[in-house]
Amino acid sequence: MTLKPASFYILLALADRSRHGYGIMQAVRERSSGSVTVRTASFYRHLARLIEAGLVAESADRPDDDDPRRGAYYDLTPAGRAALDAERARLEDLLAAADTWAPGRGERR
């Protein structure tokens, strides 16, 4: 399964800990160096698809946050971690293939 950039970064944001929606959006912006931004509506559409696919689940815990106004927290599922690992491997393969060509000449190194 090839992940869209926003979905990849959402999974990546959850790789180290549970986060609430706004925290995920901030992590996406930070980890992508601002190249991927998700607005609230599109973020929750991506999140809903990831939940439906079984890659993300709502967390039963509320880590380090006692603010009752905060919404749900989300976790990466084992299937989500596998999808993230597979996408990383796919991207590494693409980079390795690109590295076999001499820049600008279309010739193999």
Side-chain angles (χ1 to χ4, degrees):
M1 163 200 304
T2 299
L3 296 172
K4 292 182 179 184
S7 294
F8 175 77
Y9 278 104
I10 290 169
L11 295 181
L12 190 59
L14 293 169
D16 60 346
R17 65 184 171 103
S18 299
R19 295 179 192 265
H20 53 80
Y22 182 70
I24 296 169
M25 288 190 287
Q26 286 180 312
V28 166
R29 189 173 28 257
E30 290 169 12
R31 290 179 185 213
S32 71
S33 300
S35 67
V36 175
T37 56
V38 285
R39 301 205 190 300
T40 304
S42 65
F43 165 73
Y44 282 103
R45 279 195 302 274
H46 283 290
L47 186 61
R49 286 185 199 119
L50 293 170
I51 290 170
E52 185 176 308
L55 305 180
V56 172
E58 192 170 326
S59 176
D61 298 328
R62 295 181 62 82
D64 302 326
D65 190 356
D66 57 4
D67 184 351
R69 296 172 296 173
R70 286 247 196 252
Y73 275 72
Y74 301 94
D75 288 318
L76 194 61
T77 65
R81 183 158 307 278
L84 184 60
D85 290 343
E87 184 67 1
R88 180 181 174 176
R90 186 187 75 80
L91 293 171
E92 287 173 344
D93 288 347
L94 286 173
L95 288 173
D99 284 345
T100 65
W101 293 92
R105 294 183 295 201
E107 300 170 4
R108 287 194 171 267
R109 289 184 192 178

